[in-house]
């Protein structure tokens, strides 16, 4: 397939499709939280691993949605690379509900935490590919370049933290998951310590 010349209309269509897929991913995750049939708050409290996994994954998917939306503001046209990079990102994000359910149902065991951290790592690779395409084919003004420089740096640090989390999972599942939580905190902050390290 060759590149298309759809302009912002095509970009908006890809973004709308992505919004729909991400909304479905979040819906699937919440449907995995089954209400207990037995009476008593202790039965509800027993679901804390499932709920905790859901909260972490919801934050994770929300961060990707926010950054996807901001990044697409710098896209100006549709290319074949952009379409497939975006599809790859959505595919990796579609694995999150499975990893979340597995982590919660297995009560944060070593194997479940390892699977979860590996799944968390995958979208970061796809996102870097997608951003590289948009940086090459999208807006080339100073504001766009500053955005890409800042977020690519933060993304590289986040990937390094995820890789560390995978290694730490072999020692303690909670240590690995703490790395995933740390990445979420870094992206939530308007100005993270990473920016401060570079004097921004």
């Amino acid at each position: 397939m060759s590149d298309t010349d759809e302009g912002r209309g095509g970009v908006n269509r890809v973004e709308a499709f992505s919004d729909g897929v991400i909304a479905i991913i979040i819906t699937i995750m919440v449907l995995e939280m089954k209400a207990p049939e037995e009476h008593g708050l202790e039965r509800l409290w027993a679901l804390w691993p499932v709920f905790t996994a859901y909260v972490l994954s919801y934050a994770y998917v929300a961060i990707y949605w926010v950054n996807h939306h901001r990044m697409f503001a710098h896209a100006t046209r549709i290319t074949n690379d952009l379409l497939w990079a975006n599809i790859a990102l959505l595919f990796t994000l579609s694995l999150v509900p499975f990893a979340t359910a597995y982590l919660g149902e297995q009560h944060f065991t070593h194997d479940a935490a390892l699977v979860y951290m590996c799944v968390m790592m995958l979208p970061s690779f796809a996102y870097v590919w997608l951003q590289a395409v948009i940086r090459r084919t999208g807006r080339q003004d100073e504001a766009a370049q500053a955005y890409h420089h800042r977020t690519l740096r933060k993304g590289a640090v986040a990937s390094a933290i995820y890789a560390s989390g995978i290694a730490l999972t072999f020692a303690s599942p909670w240590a690995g998951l703490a790395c995933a939580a740390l990445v979420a905190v870094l992206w939530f902050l308007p100005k993270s310590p990473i920016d401060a390290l570079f004097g921004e």
Side-chain angles (χ1 to χ4, degrees):
M1 295 176 60
S2 59
D3 292 349
T4 59
D5 187 18
E6 301 177 56
R8 280 300 307 178
V11 172
N12 292 339
R13 183 181 177 190
V14 172
E15 189 174 5
F17 172 76
S18 304
D19 289 347
V21 173
I22 292 173
I24 292 171
I25 290 171
I26 290 176
T27 302
I28 291 173
M29 285 197 303
V30 75
L31 290 177
E32 290 294 334
M33 293 197 301
K34 307 295 184 183
E37 297 181 0
E38 299 85 356
H39 297 291
L41 291 178
E42 66 278 3
R43 300 294 183 180
L44 191 61
W45 173 249
L47 294 178
W48 73 264
V50 177
F51 183 74
T52 302
Y54 168 75
V55 170
L56 182 59
S57 295
Y58 186 97
Y60 178 81
V61 175
I63 288 168
Y64 269 98
W65 179 83
V66 169
N67 286 297
H68 186 275
H69 175 70
R70 290 174 176 168
M71 182 171 61
F72 263 68
H74 300 286
T76 57
R77 63 190 178 93
I78 295 299
T79 66
N80 200 46
D81 285 346
L82 185 147
L83 290 173
W84 286 112
N86 194 66
I87 288 294
L89 175 62
L90 296 178
F91 169 73
T92 56
L93 288 175
S94 73
L95 300 175
V96 174
F98 167 78
T100 303
Y102 186 58
L103 181 67
E105 292 296 334
Q106 296 296 316
H107 288 219
F108 298 85
T109 62
H110 168 270
D111 290 343
L114 183 60
V115 169
Y116 185 82
M117 290 301 298
C118 289
V119 169
M120 294 298 103
M121 186 77 173
L122 292 177
S124 66
F125 296 135
Y127 192 89
V128 168
W129 177 23
L130 179 58
Q131 186 165 8
V133 172
I134 292 178
R135 186 180 191 183
R136 185 179 71 250
T137 62
R139 289 170 46 193
Q140 299 298 315
D141 55 83
E142 185 177 344
Q145 292 306 311
Y147 166 83
H148 290 303
H149 177 72
R150 182 176 65 256
T151 55
L152 281 170
R153 184 179 62 214
K154 187 181 287 189
V157 173
S159 295
I161 295 174
Y162 277 130
S164 300
I166 291 173
L168 287 172
T169 300
F170 287 97
S172 168
W174 290 105
L177 294 172
C179 289
L182 176 60
V183 171
V185 170
L186 290 176
W187 282 107
F188 271 127
L189 294 175
K191 188 173 183 179
S192 73
I194 297 171
D195 300 315
L197 287 175
F198 289 84
E200 296 184 3

